[in-house]
Amino acid sequence: MNGVVGFMYPNEYALQWSILIVLYPFITGLVAGAFILASLERVFRVEAVKPTYRLALLTALAFLLDAPLPLQLHLGHPERSPEMYFTPHATSAMAMFGYVYLWYLMAVLVFEIWLDYRREIVILSQQSKGLLRVIYKIMTLGSSNISERALHIDDKVGWIVTLIGIPSAFMLHGYVGFIFGSIKANPWWSSPLMPVVFIFSAMVSGVAAVMLIYMATTKLRKLAIDMRCVDTIAMYMFYIFIIDFSLEMLDLIHRIYEADESFRSLDFMVHTKLFFSQIVLQIILGTLVPLTLLFITQVWKNNLTATVRKRIYVICGSLIMISVFAMRWNVVIGGQLFSKSFLGYTTYKMELVTREGLLAAVGLCVLPLLFLWVLVKLLPPWPEKGLHQAAAGD
Amino acid sequence: MKDAGHLFRFAGLFVVAFLVFLVVRGYVVPKTFGQYGHYRGAAIGEIAQHPVKFAGHQTCEGCHSDIADTKTKGAHAHVNCEACHGALYQNLPAPPPPKGNLYERFVALIVPPPPPAPPILLHADDPATVTPVKPDTLVLCARCHTASAAKPKGFPQVDPTQHMGGVPCETCHNPHSPAIGSDTSASPAAGGAK
C-alpha cells in the first residue's frame, strides 16, 4: 500500500483526523489568546495595550464563530451535532465542550462586547439609517440608558465578566489539550502536560494574531502604530513563549529520559516523517528564531529604531503563527502516523478540493477575517471622531 | 436599579433562549431516551422486530439431506450452509416511510434517512419464488483459503492465481466435501489439495 512502511493494523492505514482537526485547536487557541490579551488591559490594568483591547475582543469573537465549522465539515452527520446539547453526556469531554463553547460565546464574549460597546450602540442606533439602524436598535435590546451611572455599572460588570472569562478561556482551550492528553492508547498524545502546553501555545498565538491584525489595520488606516503598545505586546509574547517553549522541552526531555516502549518509534518519526514540520518549522524556524529576535528587542530595545522593531515584530508574529500551527499539525497528524505495534508508519496525503481538503481549510482560515471585517464595520474598535462629537453632544 | 435595567434585558435573553431550548428539547428528544442508558430505549424493541433473515442449517438440511450427507463426511462438516450461501431471502416492496416529527422532516430534507427495513421472503418458506444465485467459487473459496502467514500451517491454503489459473475451484473440488476423490461430482485432477 502506498505510503505505508512496516506493519500497520488495518484501522491505522488511513488517518481519521484530517487537516480540519488541525485547524480546530489552532483557531480555538487564537480565541483564547486574543481574549487573554484583552484581559491584560481590563483586569490587569496594562494601559499600554489599550489600543488593541476592543480589536482583541472582536478578533476572539470572529475566530470563535469560525471555530466549530471545521468540526461540522469533518462530521459525517453534522445535522446530528445539536443532539450534543439536547442529550448531554456528562462523562464525555467532547460532549461537554458544546456547553463550554456556548458559555464562552454568549456569557463571556458577546456579553462583554455588548457591555463595552453599549454606549456606541445606543448612539449609532440614533445616528444611522436604514437597515443598520434596525440592527443597532435590536442590539440595544430596547434600552437607551447611557447615563453615567449606567455606564459605570457596565464597567464594573464587564470587569467581573472578564475575570470569569480568563478561566473560561483556559477551559475552552485546555479542554482541547485535555482530550488529546487523556488518550492513553496513544503515547504521542497521552501526557498530562498536554492541556498546559496547549493553553500557553494558544496564548502566544492569539497575542501574535491580534498584534499582527492591529499593525495591519493601523497601516491600512494610514495611522501611526502605537509603539508603546506593540512593545508591550511583544514583551508579553516573549515571556509567554518562553514558558510555552520550556513546557514543550520539558515534555520532550521527559520522553527522551523515560524512553518507554514507544520511544524508538516516536524518535524515528521525529527524524523522518515529522522532521520538517517539527524540527525545522516548529522548533528552529518557529520557536528559536522568534525567541532570539524577541530577546534582542527586549535587551537592546533602545538601540533599535521603531521601524526595525516593527519589522521584527511582524516577522516574529508570523513565525509564531506558523510554529503554533505546526505544533497542532505535529500533534494531530503526527499522532496518527505510527502504528500501535510501533513497527509501522503511514502517510497523510492531504486532499485538495474535498470536504476535508486543503481548499476547505484555506477557506476556514479566511472566513474569520471576513467575520472580523463585518464586526469591525458594525462595531468600530477604534475611537471615531464623528462618534465622539455626537457622544459629547448627547 | 433603573440604571441596571439593560442588564436584566440581557439576562432575559438568556432566560428566553433557555425556555426555547427546553421546549425544543422536549419536542426532539425521543420519549424513551435514557430509559436504559444513554440511548433510545425503544430502539431495542425496533431492532428486535427486524425480520430474521438467517434460517439456520437445520432448516436447509430439511430439504437438502443429500448435501448434508456429503458435508458430514468432509472437511467442511462444521461450516454451516449460510456461511457460504448467505442468508437466502428476497426483499418485498417496502411500505412508505413514517412521516416523523417536524425536526425529523427538516433533517430529512438535508440528509435523507435510510429507508426502513423492507419485509422479506425466505427461500426456506418459498423455494420456488426465492431462487438463490450459486456462489462464485473463485471468489468464495479464496476468502478462506488464500495463503497467509497468519493462518495455521495445517489449514489448506493456496496462492489462487498460481493454484488454479482462473479455473473455478468446483471444477476439481466439491465445495461440500472438498478433498479430491471424496464423495464428489467434480472431476478429479492431479495435484489437488487435501
Side-chain angles (χ1 to χ4, degrees), chain A residues 118-381:
Chain A
R118 219 175 55 77
R119 182 174 151 276
E120 279 89 338
I121 290 170
V122 170
I123 295 168
L124 286 166
S125 73
Q126 292 157 356
Q127 282 184 347
S128 11
K129 293 187 168 55
L131 183 66
L132 267 180
R133 188 185 177 88
V134 177
I135 294 171
Y136 286 124
K137 279 272 179 210
I138 293 169
M139 285 164 77
T140 60
L141 298 181
S143 165
S144 54
N145 183 357
I146 46 172
S147 66
E148 204 173 313
R149 169 106 182 109
L151 293 178
H152 179 70
I153 291 172
D154 286 353
D155 191 49
K156 286 281 168 210
V157 175
W159 185 84
I160 295 167
V161 170
T162 317
L163 200 64
I164 296 167
I166 297 170
S168 302
F170 276 42
M171 199 156 74
L172 177 80
H173 200 65
Y175 126 89
V176 182
F178 178 83
I179 283 180
F180 284 107
S182 56
I183 298 178
K184 59 189 170 191
N186 191 319
W188 188 246
W189 292 338
S190 180
S191 161
L193 271 182
M194 201 61 107
V196 193
V197 169
F198 263 68
I199 286 169
F200 276 93
S201 55
M203 281 162 71
V204 76
S205 66
V207 170
V210 175
M211 184 188 75
L212 289 175
I213 291 172
Y214 167 70
M215 291 174 91
T217 48
T218 313
K219 192 92 180 157
L220 284 173
R221 293 166 64 228
K222 297 187 172 41
L223 293 173
I225 290 170
D226 185 337
M227 282 315 289
R228 187 168 155 253
C229 171
V230 283
D231 281 338
T232 311
I233 293 176
M235 181 186 74
Y236 279 103
M237 202 160 67
F238 177 60
Y239 292 138
I240 301 167
F241 207 17
I242 287 179
I243 299 173
D244 176 43
F245 186 56
S246 309
L247 285 168
E248 288 193 37
M249 287 304 106
L250 172 65
D251 187 43
L252 187 70
I253 291 165
H254 184 257
R255 281 172 192 275
I256 295 170
Y257 188 72
E258 195 181 35
D260 66 6
E261 70 274 13
S262 67
F263 181 70
R264 282 169 68 106
S265 182
L266 303 185
D267 187 50
F268 174 80
M269 214 165 57
V270 171
H271 285 90
T272 53
K273 288 180 181 289
L274 293 183
F275 184 78
F276 180 72
S277 59
Q278 180 137 27
I279 306 293
V280 179
L281 270 188
Q282 187 189 331
I283 297 179
I284 298 174
L285 205 64
T287 304
L288 295 179
V289 172
L291 268 181
T292 312
L293 288 173
L294 286 173
F295 176 77
I296 291 168
T297 61
Q298 295 307 304
V299 178
W300 292 289
K301 191 194 286 182
N302 296 332
N303 299 343
L304 300 170
T305 63
T307 313
V308 172
R309 293 209 304 279
K310 272 189 274 184
R311 283 179 187 162
I312 290 179
Y313 295 153
V314 170
I315 293 169
C316 288
S318 309
L319 288 177
I320 285 171
M321 299 286 281
I322 293 170
S323 166
V324 174
F325 183 82
M327 182 261 182
R328 311 297 193 235
W329 174 278
N330 294 325
V331 168
V332 177
I333 302 296
Q336 301 173 83
L337 292 181
F338 65 96
S339 169
K340 185 79 172 69
S341 66
F342 304 131
L343 295 170
Y345 306 89
T346 188
T347 305
Y348 173 53
K349 192 170 183 302
M350 200 194 307
E351 292 155 334
L352 189 64
V353 196
T354 56
R355 201 170 63 164
E356 293 199 53
L358 180 65
L359 227 60
V362 171
L364 287 170
C365 287
V366 175
L367 197 60
L369 298 178
L370 291 178
F371 287 157
L372 183 62
W373 181 77
V374 173
L375 285 171
V376 164
K377 286 282 166 202
L378 208 58
L379 304 167

Side-chain angles (χ1 to χ4, degrees), chain A residues 77 79 82-83 85-89 99 106-107 110-111 114-115 118 140-143 145 147 149-150 153-154 157, chain B residues 1-7 9-11 13-14 20-22 24-26 28-30 33 38 103 107 110-112 114:
Chain A
H77 276 279
E79 83 283 354
E83 290 173 18
Y85 293 108
F86 293 134
T87 52
H89 201 303
Y99 286 97
M106 293 309 296
V110 171
F111 189 35
W114 185 71
L115 287 173
R118 219 175 55 77
T140 60
L141 298 181
S143 165
N145 183 357
S147 66
R149 169 106 182 109
I153 291 172
D154 286 353
V157 175
Chain B
M1 199 65 181
K2 186 173 74 93
D3 290 323
H6 56 283
L7 296 178
R9 286 172 190 256
F10 197 89
L13 268 187
F14 275 74
V20 169
F21 170 79
L22 284 183
V24 175
R25 187 179 183 278
V28 299
V29 175
F33 186 89
H38 200 77
Y103 175 71
V107 168
I110 306 161
V111 183

Side-chain angles (χ1 to χ4, degrees), chain B residues 87-92 120-133:
Chain B
L88 301 181
Y89 68 93
Q90 188 176 299
N91 285 327
L92 295 175
I120 59 165
L121 185 62
L122 291 174
H123 167 70
D125 293 334
D126 189 353
T129 311
V130 186
T131 48
V133 179

Side-chain angles (χ1 to χ4, degrees), chain B:
Chain B
M1 199 65 181
K2 186 173 74 93
D3 290 323
H6 56 283
L7 296 178
F8 290 103
R9 286 172 190 256
F10 197 89
L13 268 187
F14 275 74
V15 173
V16 170
F18 186 64
L19 289 175
V20 169
F21 170 79
L22 284 183
V23 170
V24 175
R25 187 179 183 278
Y27 192 65
V28 299
V29 175
K31 296 286 168 281
T32 58
F33 186 89
Q35 190 179 356
Y36 307 115
H38 200 77
Y39 58 91
R40 193 168 54 91
I44 294 176
E46 286 171 22
I47 293 165
Q49 280 172 6
H50 281 199
V52 179
K53 294 172 178 174
F54 285 87
H57 68 99
Q58 297 91 343
T59 312
C60 308
E61 286 160 9
C63 298
H64 304 282
S65 55
D66 53 331
I67 304 286
D69 288 343
T70 310
K71 247 177 104 239
T72 49
K73 293 171 195 159
H76 283 172
H78 299 292
V79 179
N80 287 330
C81 312
E82 287 160 316
C84 297
H85 292 279
L88 301 181
Y89 68 93
Q90 188 176 299
N91 285 327
L92 295 175
K99 272 196 161 181
N101 60 32
L102 196 65
Y103 175 71
E104 284 164 347
R105 270 186 275 169
F106 169 71
V107 168
L109 288 176
I110 306 161
V111 183
I120 59 165
L121 185 62
L122 291 174
H123 167 70
D125 293 334
D126 189 353
T129 311
V130 186
T131 48
V133 179
K134 197 175 167 190
D136 178 1
T137 52
L138 264 177
V139 177
L140 186 71
C141 303
R143 271 190 205 142
C144 295
H145 294 287
T146 299
S148 161
K151 290 173 186 167
K153 281 188 179 164
F155 186 79
Q157 41 193 315
V158 296
D159 178 347
T161 50
Q162 288 182 1
H163 180 69
M164 62 271 214
V167 179
C169 310
E170 71 203 85
T171 314
C172 305
H173 304 271
N174 178 346
H176 295 122
S177 182
I180 289 173
S182 66
D183 182 8
T184 171
S185 55
S187 58
K194 287 180 184 173

